[in-house]
Amino acid sequence: MNYKINGKSFDAEPRPGQCLRTFVRDLGWFGVKKGCDAGDCGACTVWLDGKPVHSCLVPAYRAADREVTTIEGLSKNGELHPMQQAFLDAQAFQCGFCAAGMIMTSASLSDEQKKDLPFRLKGNLCRCTGYHAIEDALAGIGHVEKDRAGHACGASLQNPLAHSIVTGTARYTADVKMEGMLHLKVLRSPHAHANIVAIRTEKARALPGVHGVFTWEDVPRRPYSSALHDDYRVDPDDTYILDNVARFAGQRVAAVAAETEGIAEEACRLIEVDYEILPAVFDPEEAMVPGAPILHDKEFSSRIQQAGRNIFLQIESEYGNVEQGFAEAEVVVEGTYYSNKISHAHLETHIAIASQSEDGRIHVRSSTQAPFQAKAKLAYLFGIPLPQVHVYAERVGGGFGGKQEMLCEELCVLAMLKTGRPVKWEFTREEEFIAGVSRHPMKTNIKVGAKKDGTLTAIQVRVVSATGAYGNHGGETLAASLSQSLQIYRCPNMKGLGYAVYTNIPPSGAFRGYGSSQTVFAVESAMADLARKLGVDHMEFQRKNVVVPGDAVHSIWEGPSDAEMGSYGLDQCMNFLEKALASGRGEPKPEGDEWLEGKGHAIHMHDCIPPTEQRSEAHINLRADGTYYLTNGVTEMGNGTITSMRQVAASILNATASRIEIVISDTDKTAYDTGTFSSVGTSVSCKSVSLAAENLRNNVLKIASEFTSTPLEQCRLVDGAVECGSRSIPLSELFESVPDARHRLSVMRKAYGSPRTTCFNVHGFRIAVNRITGEIRILQSVHAADAGTILNPMQCRGQIEGAVAQGIGSSLFERMVFDDHGKMINPTFRNYRISAFADIPRTEIFFADTYDAYGPLGAKSAGETPIIPVAPALGNALADATGIRFNSLPFSADRIFEQLAELK
C-alpha cells in the first residue's frame, strides 16, 4: 500500500486490524499520542486529507493513497504553523501530552468555526490547563514575556520544553524504540475477593511469540506498598508483585511478555484460573463490623493496625477539651458528608520500559513522580544493590498524585530479568480506571459549636476513608484529612477520629489535595451552615475565627509543630473574593422562574510540605562557555517546576533563564530528590536550587574579586559576565583564567522540608440552578491565592485554572461507579466524563501581595491546593440558591433532582 505521511511517500503494509495511530507511531511519528484508544480524548488527532480525525478510530489501511499529517508535519521549512506559534505564545499547555492533538484540531478551524469553540473542541480533552490558555491561543492572545537578565523573577517566561511540545518532538515515556522490545499484558481477576486455587498457563506459553508467562509463584515473595514515600513505614506492607489472593476486581493475576501487545493479550485469554470466591465487603463502615470478610490476615509487622477489623490505621487526637467546648456552645451544627471516588485521568497512562545494559545494570524508563523512591523499591523487591538500578522520567504526561505510585515498573523488571529482553507495559485507559489508583472516598461526620457572638468553641470530626483493597497512602491522606481541614480556624477545642479502612474496591492513592479536599468539603459546608444559623454573614463569621499572624499552626495535634505561616495573605484573598462577587461581573441569571441564583465561597490553609521526610539536592556549575548547568531530581509533569527552577537560578545569578541548561528526574544524572508531590516543587526542590545558585554567585564574585584585585563590593554578576569596577570579564574568560579555582565553580546544596510554610486559597462562585431539571450553571468563578512571590504569573494562573477545572469536574459530574460485585461500570472517558472545554467558565484570579519567609525568593506552592475549596464553594452556592444542603458529591443533576423536587 502507498502512504504519504508528512509529505513523504512510501510503501508499507499495516498489520491486520491496525489503527492509524499505532501505524504512524511504528514509523516514528511519536507526536501522535494515546490517551484512550476509544475516540474520546483527541490526543491522537491527525489530519487525513486536511481534516482532523481521531487516528485511534481509523483503520490504517483507510489512509492508503491519502495524505496524513501529524503534528511533526505541521510546520514547513523550519517555520512553525501559526497555530503552533499561537500555542507557544500563550503557553496553552502544561504537561503537553494533549497539545499535539489540540493543535491539530485547532489549526483546522476556520474563523467562523472558532466562534463556537465549546462545540469544535468537544473531541479534545485536557486535564491540566482548564482550557483558558487554549482559548487565548485561538484568539491570538499571548502571555509569554521576553527573557531578560535580572528580570526572571516575576516574569511569565516560557517553559524550556515549549518548542518541543508544540512540534511534537518532546519525548514522553512511550516515545522510544528499543531493539528486541517485548510487550507485557496482564490477566486480571474478575472477582472482588477470591483465592487463586490453580493457574494453568500451558496454552499461553505455547502461543507463538510468547516469551514468558508469570504467576505469583514466579515472583519474589517480598511484601511492599505501591506508594512511593521516603519513609516507607507510613504505608503498610500489604502488597505482592503477584499474589495468590485477589482483593478487588481488576487485580492482576498473571503476566505475559510477548512480541506484540496483541499476542500478549491473546495469551492472557488462554490462561485458565481456578478461583475460590470469597465474601466481599464494599462499604468501609460495614468492613469494620465484627464478622465482616477480612482482606488482610497479616502480622502487625506489616504495619496494619487492626487487620481483624480491616482497619489499616486509626487516628484519634484532641487539642483542648472538645466536651467542654460543646458545653460552652450556644449554637451547634452537625452533618454527614460524602466525597466521591474519582480518577486522576492524566492523559498519559501509567507506563514503564525496563532494559538491561551490558554491564548488568537495570534501566527503567518510567512515567513516575518519584524516580528515586521507585529505584529504592525495585532494589528491595529484587534483592539488587541500589547502584545497579537506574530510573528516569524524560517527560511525564500529567500525574496529580497518581504517579506517586509503582504500578508497572516491577512487573517490567521481572519480565526483563526472566526473558533477557527489554519489556514495555503501557496501561490502557480502562486499566487506568480499574487498576490504577484514585482519590479516597471519605465519609465525614462533623460537629461545630459556637457562642452567639460567633466565636467558635469546638470542632469535632470523624472520618472514614475507604483505602480500597490496599493501604497505599491510606494513612497519610487520613492524617491530612483530619488536620489540614481544620487548621485555618482559631478554635480552642478540636478533636479528630479517623479510620483508613480496607474494602474490596480498587485501591485509592495520592490525589491532588491529598485528603484535604474531602474533609474541607464537610468543614466549609458546616461553617456556612453555622453562620446561617447564627444569622451572620458567612465571610464576617470566618474573619472572626480564622488564624492571624502570630498564631500557632495547629489542629487536632497537641505539642509543637514545624508548620509556620511564612507569609499571611488570607485577609487579602478574602477581600479580593468579596469585592469580585459583589461586582456584578460574570454571566446574568438565565431568564425564567425555574432558575434560582446563589453565591457561595470556601477558604483553605495548606501545608506546602508534608510532615514526612522531604529533601532535595541541587547541583549547579559554571561551564567553560559561560553558561550554567543545573541538575535536580525533580519530575516535570506539567507542574512547571522546571521553569521555576531556571527562573530562581537566573534571578540569583542575574542571568537570562536561557543561559541555564537543566537536567531533571534521572537517578544517574541528578542527585537525590524525594519526589514531586505534596506541593514541594517550589518549597523544597526550588529551594535547593536557590541555595546552590546563591553559593555559586558568591563564589564567582569572590573569584573575580581575587582575579582582578577589585574589592568584592565592587563586583557584580551580569548576564554572561562579571563587572569588577570598570572592567567587564566574560564568564567564559574567567573560567579559562582560573584553573585552580574551578572546583569552586561547581556547587551543591540541599534543602529540607522543615520548617513547613503554609499557603492560602479562597474560591467563590455565583451560580444558577434549574429547580426543575437540576442543571447547574456557573455564572461567575473567582479564586484568590497567597502563594508568596509569584515566580511566573502565567504559569501560576495556569495551575490555578487547571486545578479549578479539575475541582469543578469532581464536584459536578465525575464519579467512579461500581456494581454490586465491585466492578467499575464506567471505565471510559465517555462514561466517566472529565471536564471538557464547554464545562469550564473563565475564573477571575487574584494573588495576595506577600513574601514567604521560607520559600525561594519568597515563593511558595501554587499548583496543588486551588482544587481544595472548589467543592465546598459550589456546595455553599447551591445551598444559598435552594435553601437545601446537598451533602454528597458530585452535584450532578440526577443526584440532586429528588431534593430539588421538594421546592415549590
Side-chain angles (χ1 to χ4, degrees):
M1 295 181 180
N2 183 262
Y3 288 87
K4 186 177 183 180
I5 301 178
N6 296 330
K8 297 180 180 179
S9 297
F10 54 89
D11 290 325
E13 193 70 30
R15 298 189 304 272
Q18 186 173 24
C19 71
L20 183 58
R21 181 190 70 80
T22 59
F23 180 67
V24 296
R25 285 184 61 85
D26 285 348
L27 295 170
W29 306 110
F30 291 128
V32 183
K33 304 300 186 203
K34 182 189 92 171
C36 66
D37 266 352
D40 295 336
C41 75
C44 67
T45 302
V46 301
W47 287 354
L48 194 57
D49 292 336
K51 294 182 179 180
V53 297
H54 290 178
S55 61
C56 68
L57 298 181
V58 178
Y61 78 87
R62 290 188 179 176
D65 299 317
R66 301 173 71 181
E67 188 165 348
V68 178
T69 307
T70 73
I71 186 69
E72 293 95 335
L74 200 57
S75 56
K76 303 296 182 185
N77 301 318
E79 294 290 327
L80 293 180
H81 184 281
M83 190 56 68
Q84 289 174 304
Q85 188 64 53
F87 268 64
L88 196 65
D89 294 341
Q91 192 151 306
F93 50 83
Q94 286 178 23
C95 83
F97 197 80
C98 75
M102 193 73 73
I103 290 171
M104 295 305 292
T105 298
S106 300
S108 72
L109 301 179
S110 66
D111 289 342
E112 185 64 28
Q113 289 172 325
K114 290 177 186 177
K115 295 178 182 178
D116 190 8
L117 292 180
F119 175 75
R120 298 297 172 182
L121 295 181
K122 67 178 182 178
N124 289 83
L125 297 177
C126 175
R127 191 57 157 172
C128 297
T129 64
Y131 297 102
H132 297 127
I134 295 170
E135 183 179 22
D136 287 346
L138 271 81
I141 300 171
H143 301 294
V144 173
E145 297 177 350
K146 187 177 180 181
D147 184 9
R148 296 184 297 150
H151 298 275
C153 181
S156 294
L157 299 188
Q158 193 175 80
N159 185 306
L161 304 173
H163 190 273
S164 66
I165 289 171
V166 302
T167 57
T169 57
R171 290 292 175 254
Y172 294 80
T173 313
D175 300 340
V176 64
K177 287 185 176 181
M178 289 188 184
E179 187 69 28
M181 186 166 67
L182 301 178
H183 298 267
L184 188 139
K185 288 292 181 180
V186 299
L187 174 69
R188 298 188 178 277
S189 170
H191 307 295
H193 200 190
N195 285 325
I196 297 171
V197 178
I199 305 179
R200 291 177 291 279
T201 62
E202 295 83 5
K203 293 179 182 178
R205 295 178 189 276
L207 186 68
V210 170
H211 288 260
V213 181
F214 316 105
T215 71
W216 69 274
E217 295 178 301
D218 301 305
V219 303
R221 195 69 176 168
R222 293 193 173 194
Y224 70 105
S225 171
S226 61
L228 297 176
H229 283 119
D230 181 275
D231 183 0
Y232 65 89
R233 291 174 293 269
V234 301
D235 300 299
D237 283 341
D238 59 5
T239 305
Y240 292 101
I241 296 176
L242 291 170
D243 205 349
N244 60 349
V245 180
R247 296 180 176 87
F248 69 95
Q251 180 171 320
R252 59 201 195 193
V253 172
V256 175
E259 292 287 345
T260 68
E261 288 185 80
I263 294 173
E265 288 173 350
E266 177 61 22
C268 286
R269 288 189 284 268
L270 294 175
I271 297 172
E272 299 171 351
V273 184
D274 294 338
Y275 295 98
E276 176 194 0
I277 299 176
L278 303 173
V281 60
F282 306 114
D283 182 274
E285 292 279 15
E286 294 177 5
M288 291 188 287
V289 175
I294 302 302
L295 272 73
H296 294 277
D297 186 14
K298 291 181 172 63
E299 301 294 329
F300 191 75
S301 59
S302 66
R303 298 185 294 281
I304 300 175
Q305 273 191 2
Q306 301 177 54
R309 292 185 60 205
N310 289 315
I311 297 172
F312 156 47
L313 183 68
Q314 176 180 334
I315 297 175
E316 185 170 8
S317 187
E318 184 173 11
Y319 180 89
N321 187 320
V322 167
E323 184 178 354
Q324 179 181 331
F326 282 118
E328 296 171 357
E330 296 171 291
V331 179
V332 175
V333 298
E334 294 184 70
T336 301
Y337 295 84
Y338 302 88
S339 59
N340 41 338
K341 188 174 181 69
I342 57 177
S343 172
H344 303 80
H346 34 71
L347 289 194
E348 180 198 43
T349 61
H350 279 84
I351 178 173
I353 303 172
S355 61
Q356 193 166 26
S357 51
E358 291 183 0
D359 60 3
R361 294 189 72 219
I362 293 170
H363 306 274
V364 181
R365 181 183 176 94
S366 171
S367 60
T368 180
Q369 292 180 227
F372 285 88
Q373 306 311 323
K375 170 179 176 170
K377 195 148 289 193
L378 289 170
Y380 156 74
L381 285 173
F382 293 98
I384 301 169
L386 199 61
Q388 289 296 103
V389 183
H390 168 217
V391 178
Y392 61 107
E394 184 169 351
R395 179 73 178 169
V396 178
F400 316 113
K403 294 175 181 174
Q404 192 193 342
E405 210 81 40
M406 194 168 74
L407 298 180
C408 51
E409 294 89 342
E410 68 280 27
L411 268 180
C412 287
V413 170
L414 172 80
M416 182 272 297
L417 290 173
K418 295 283 189 179
T419 64
R421 301 263 296 269
V423 175
K424 170 185 174 182
W425 184 19
E426 182 178 13
F427 274 29
T428 65
R429 180 54 55 186
E430 181 177 356
E431 285 182 306
E432 200 66 56
F433 277 115
I434 69 170
V437 295
S438 49
R439 190 173 77 172
H440 289 77
M442 293 185 183
K443 173 187 174 183
T444 304
N445 301 99
I446 183 166
K447 182 179 179 181
V448 185
K451 295 181 178 179
K452 287 184 178 178
D453 68 359
T455 303
L456 287 172
T457 61
I459 306 174
Q460 180 173 300
V461 293
R462 176 183 181 271
V463 176
V464 177
S465 174
T467 194
Y470 296 93
N472 40 298
H473 296 280
E476 293 299 280
T477 53
L478 180 65
S481 75
L482 291 168
S483 58
Q484 298 204 80
S485 58
L486 302 179
Q487 63 189 17
I488 197 169
Y489 289 106
R490 306 173 77 195
C491 183
N493 307 295
M494 298 185 187
K495 183 177 182 178
L497 172 62
Y499 304 91
V501 185
Y502 289 114
T503 63
N504 293 112
I505 60 173
S508 302
F511 193 101
R512 192 178 207 165
Y514 207 70
S516 296
S517 301
Q518 298 93 310
T519 45
V520 169
F521 170 53
V523 171
E524 288 299 286
S525 298
M527 292 300 175
D529 288 349
L530 182 56
R532 188 177 295 110
K533 194 170 183 178
L534 287 165
V536 299
D537 178 77
H538 181 200
M539 193 166 286
E540 289 306 315
F541 168 76
Q542 288 175 316
R543 287 190 174 109
K544 182 180 181 69
N545 288 288
V546 295
V547 294
V548 296
D551 284 349
V553 178
H554 71 80
S555 52
I556 64 172
W557 315 112
E558 291 281 6
S561 168
D562 65 343
E564 301 279 351
M565 286 185 280
S567 72
Y568 185 87
L570 177 59
D571 51 348
Q572 295 179 51
C573 291
M574 295 176 74
N575 291 340
F576 283 137
L577 184 81
E578 188 174 46
K579 291 178 182 177
L581 288 178
S583 68
R585 295 191 294 269
E587 298 296 321
K589 180 176 78 72
E591 294 182 1
D593 294 340
E594 70 274 19
W595 288 98
L596 306 173
E597 186 175 2
K599 290 192 295 187
H601 74 275
I603 62 177
H604 181 60
M605 169 184 176
H606 200 82
D607 299 342
C608 294
I609 304 168
T612 50
E613 183 68 24
Q614 197 77 30
R615 64 189 190 275
S616 183
E617 182 176 325
H619 291 209
I620 187 168
N621 58 278
L622 177 67
R623 296 192 289 197
D625 62 357
T627 62
Y628 301 97
Y629 183 72
L630 169 64
T631 65
N632 185 278
V634 73
T635 298
E636 174 61 41
M637 54 195 163
N639 46 320
T641 306
I642 188 172
T643 311
S644 298
M645 284 181 168
R646 290 213 314 170
Q647 288 186 244
V648 166
S651 296
I652 293 169
L653 296 168
N654 202 24
T656 55
S658 60
R659 294 188 71 86
I660 300 170
E661 181 185 351
I662 183 168
V663 173
I664 60 169
S665 56
D666 188 314
T667 64
D668 273 6
K669 298 178 180 178
T670 69
Y672 184 87
D673 182 273
T674 302
T676 309
F677 48 80
S678 296
S679 300
V680 301
T682 298
S683 299
V684 180
S685 300
C686 277
K687 182 68 174 179
S688 70
V689 172
S690 72
L691 295 173
E694 287 169 1
N695 186 254
L696 178 60
R697 176 196 60 196
N698 295 340
N699 285 358
V700 169
L701 292 176
K702 288 176 183 176
I703 291 170
S705 171
E706 296 164 2
F707 178 67
T708 61
S709 300
T710 303
L712 182 62
E713 62 271 17
Q714 294 182 25
C715 299
R716 72 184 191 96
L717 267 174
V718 295
D719 194 32
V722 186
E723 291 183 350
C724 297
S726 59
R727 181 180 176 184
S728 179
I729 308 171
L731 289 174
S732 56
E733 180 182 325
L734 181 67
F735 184 93
E736 181 66 26
S737 302
V738 291
D740 294 336
R742 286 179 191 162
H743 64 283
R744 294 162 61 191
L745 299 178
S746 180
V747 302
M748 174 274 284
R749 285 293 183 270
K750 299 177 182 179
Y752 297 88
S754 184
R756 299 178 297 123
T757 193
T758 55
C759 61
F760 297 93
N761 294 88
V762 179
H763 200 95
F765 288 106
R766 183 168 57 86
I767 69 167
V769 56
N770 190 304
R771 61 183 177 84
I772 297 175
T773 67
E775 178 188 355
I776 294 174
R777 292 187 188 177
I778 297 174
L779 307 177
Q780 186 182 11
S781 174
V782 183
H783 192 97
D786 171 17
T789 300
I790 305 303
L791 295 174
N792 187 313
M794 170 185 67
Q795 184 168 278
C796 286
R797 288 180 183 277
Q799 291 293 314
I800 290 173
E801 287 170 346
V804 170
Q806 207 168 32
I808 289 173
S810 60
S811 300
L812 291 184
F813 37 79
E814 290 185 44
R815 182 166 64 117
M816 298 173 70
V817 184
F818 297 86
D819 66 15
D820 293 340
H821 303 287
K823 293 182 180 180
M824 186 178 176
I825 63 175
N826 60 331
T828 64
F829 278 148
R830 189 163 305 184
N831 295 317
Y832 173 80
R833 200 164 105 69
I834 67 172
S835 298
F837 185 98
D839 297 312
I840 304 303
R842 186 172 285 270
T843 295
E844 299 179 44
I845 296 173
F846 302 91
F847 293 110
D849 183 10
T850 67
Y851 186 96
D852 191 77
Y854 306 109
L857 304 180
K860 53 186 176 181
S861 308
E864 178 184 12
T865 56
I867 191 177
I868 296 172
V870 172
L874 267 172
N876 288 337
L878 186 56
D880 183 55
T882 65
I884 301 172
R885 171 57 68 186
F886 296 89
N887 66 346
S888 181
L889 294 172
F891 304 128
S892 54
D894 60 305
R895 302 184 78 243
I896 68 173
F897 177 80
E898 186 174 344
Q899 286 176 269
L900 285 177
E902 300 173 6
L903 294 174
K904 296 183 180 179

